[in-house]
Amino acid sequence: MVVVLVFINVAILVIWEVVDPRYVRRLLLSPQADELDEDIQYQMVIKICDSSKSVYFTGVMYSVTGLLLLTGAVLAWETKTVKIEALNDSRLIGICIYSVVLLSLIGAVVNELLQTQPSLRYCFVSGFVMAGTTFTACLLFLPKIRESGMFRSVVHHSDAADVGTAGSKIQENVGGKSLSLLTTELAVAKDRIRELDKRLMERECQIRSLERSS
C-alpha cells in the first residue's frame, strides 16, 4: 500500500514537471525607506518556485492526501466498536487523523497567506509539521511502551478509610504479563467457552432426538 501511494505521488510530480515545468518568479515587495536617510530605499525581492498550472497540480496532490485521510478516518470509525483494548487503536488513530487534518488545513491557509513573508511562513509551517508528527508519535507509541513493561507501574495503597469512598487505581504486571495481554487472553478464552457451550448444546439436542426416535 505504501509503495502504491509513493508511486502515485511520484507519478504526479513527474507529470507536473513534464507538462508544466517550474520557473523562478521574482516577487517585488514594497520599497522601504532607510531609518537614517530618507533618500535611501531598500527594494526587497523574493524568489518563488512557481508554474503556470501549479493550482491544478497542487489541487490534485491535496485531493490524493485528503482521500487517504478520509479513508483512514472511515476505517477508524468502522472499528470503533472493538472492545479488546490491545487490538483497538481506532480511537487513538481517529484522534491523530483529526489533529493532522486540522493542522494541515491551518498550515495550507497560512502557507498561502504568508507568501510575502518567507521567514514567518517557514516558522509556522515547520511548527505545524513538528507538532503533528510529535503528537501522533506520542499518542500512538507512549501507551504501548507503558504497557510493554518498560515503565513499571507503581501500586498505590490507600488507607482503609479511603477504600470505600475514592478507591485506588492499581495497574501492575501479573505473572510477567501486562494487563492488556491478560485482557486479550481472557476475551479469547471466553469466545472458546461460548463455542464449546454451543457444540455441547448441539450434542445434547442430537442425543434427545435419538432417544425420542428409539
Side-chain angles (χ1 to χ4, degrees), residues 192-208:
R192 181 61 177 171
I193 292 173
R194 284 194 292 267
E195 182 181 356
L196 293 175
D197 289 339
K198 183 179 179 181
R199 295 175 61 181
L200 180 60
M201 292 179 62
E202 292 177 354
R203 294 295 184 273
E204 290 179 353
C205 293
Q206 292 177 0
I207 294 173
R208 292 175 183 176

Side-chain angles (χ1 to χ4, degrees), residues 29 44-48 110-111 113-127:
L29 302 181
M44 302 296 295
V45 179
I46 299 178
K47 294 182 179 180
I48 301 175
V110 171
N111 184 57
L113 294 179
L114 299 179
Q115 290 286 341
T116 59
Q117 302 180 23
S119 299
L120 189 60
R121 181 181 64 175
Y122 178 79
C123 292
F124 274 105
V125 174
S126 301

Side-chain angles (χ1 to χ4, degrees), residues 156-168:
H156 300 281
H157 297 282
S158 302
D159 295 333
D162 297 331
V163 172
T165 56
S168 60

Side-chain angles (χ1 to χ4, degrees), residues 16-44:
W16 188 354
E17 189 64 28
V18 173
V19 175
D20 187 23
R22 299 187 179 188
Y23 59 89
V24 178
R25 179 167 61 91
R26 296 167 60 90
L27 180 62
L28 300 178
L29 302 181
S30 301
Q32 298 179 358
D34 188 80
E35 296 180 355
L36 301 178
D37 191 353
E38 296 181 354
D39 295 333
I40 300 177
Q41 290 187 346
Y42 298 99
Q43 180 67 58
M44 302 296 295

Side-chain angles (χ1 to χ4, degrees), residues 84 177 179-191:
I84 302 177
K177 297 182 179 179
L179 180 60
S180 60
L181 182 58
L182 292 175
T183 305
T184 304
E185 293 180 353
L186 179 60
V188 174
K190 288 182 178 179
D191 293 338

Side-chain angles (χ1 to χ4, degrees), residues 5-213:
L5 295 175
V6 173
F7 177 77
I8 292 175
N9 291 328
V10 172
I12 294 174
L13 293 176
V14 170
I15 295 174
W16 188 354
E17 189 64 28
V18 173
V19 175
D20 187 23
R22 299 187 179 188
Y23 59 89
V24 178
R25 179 167 61 91
R26 296 167 60 90
L27 180 62
L28 300 178
L29 302 181
S30 301
Q32 298 179 358
D34 188 80
E35 296 180 355
L36 301 178
D37 191 353
E38 296 181 354
D39 295 333
I40 300 177
Q41 290 187 346
Y42 298 99
Q43 180 67 58
M44 302 296 295
V45 179
I46 299 178
K47 294 182 179 180
I48 301 175
C49 184
D50 198 2
S51 62
S52 58
K53 300 179 181 179
S54 61
V55 177
Y56 304 104
F57 287 99
T58 304
V60 172
M61 296 289 291
Y62 284 164
S63 300
V64 173
T65 306
L67 182 62
L68 180 62
L69 291 174
L70 181 61
T71 304
V74 171
L75 293 177
W77 177 264
E78 291 294 332
T79 58
K80 66 183 179 64
T81 57
V82 178
K83 299 301 182 181
I84 302 177
E85 183 179 358
L87 304 177
N88 184 18
D89 289 336
S90 59
R91 178 172 172 271
L92 299 179
I93 294 175
I95 296 175
C96 292
I97 291 175
Y98 301 145
S99 63
V100 169
V101 170
L102 180 60
L103 293 175
S104 299
L105 291 176
I106 298 176
V109 174
V110 171
N111 184 57
E112 295 297 329
L113 294 179
L114 299 179
Q115 290 286 341
T116 59
Q117 302 180 23
S119 299
L120 189 60
R121 181 181 64 175
Y122 178 79
C123 292
F124 274 105
V125 174
S126 301
F128 289 145
V129 172
M130 294 180 62
T133 53
T134 303
F135 178 76
T136 301
C138 293
L139 190 62
L140 290 179
F141 293 106
L142 284 182
K144 297 183 183 298
I145 295 176
R146 179 175 56 84
E147 293 177 1
S148 65
M150 183 175 297
F151 298 102
R152 298 294 180 181
S153 59
V154 180
V155 181
H156 300 281
H157 297 282
S158 302
D159 295 333
D162 297 331
V163 172
T165 56
S168 60
K169 295 182 180 179
I170 301 174
Q171 184 178 3
E172 60 181 347
N173 289 340
V174 181
K177 297 182 179 179
S178 63
L179 180 60
S180 60
L181 182 58
L182 292 175
T183 305
T184 304
E185 293 180 353
L186 179 60
V188 174
K190 288 182 178 179
D191 293 338
R192 181 61 177 171
I193 292 173
R194 284 194 292 267
E195 182 181 356
L196 293 175
D197 289 339
K198 183 179 179 181
R199 295 175 61 181
L200 180 60
M201 292 179 62
E202 292 177 354
R203 294 295 184 273
E204 290 179 353
C205 293
Q206 292 177 0
I207 294 173
R208 292 175 183 176
S209 61
L210 293 174
E211 290 178 350
R212 292 176 182 176
S213 61

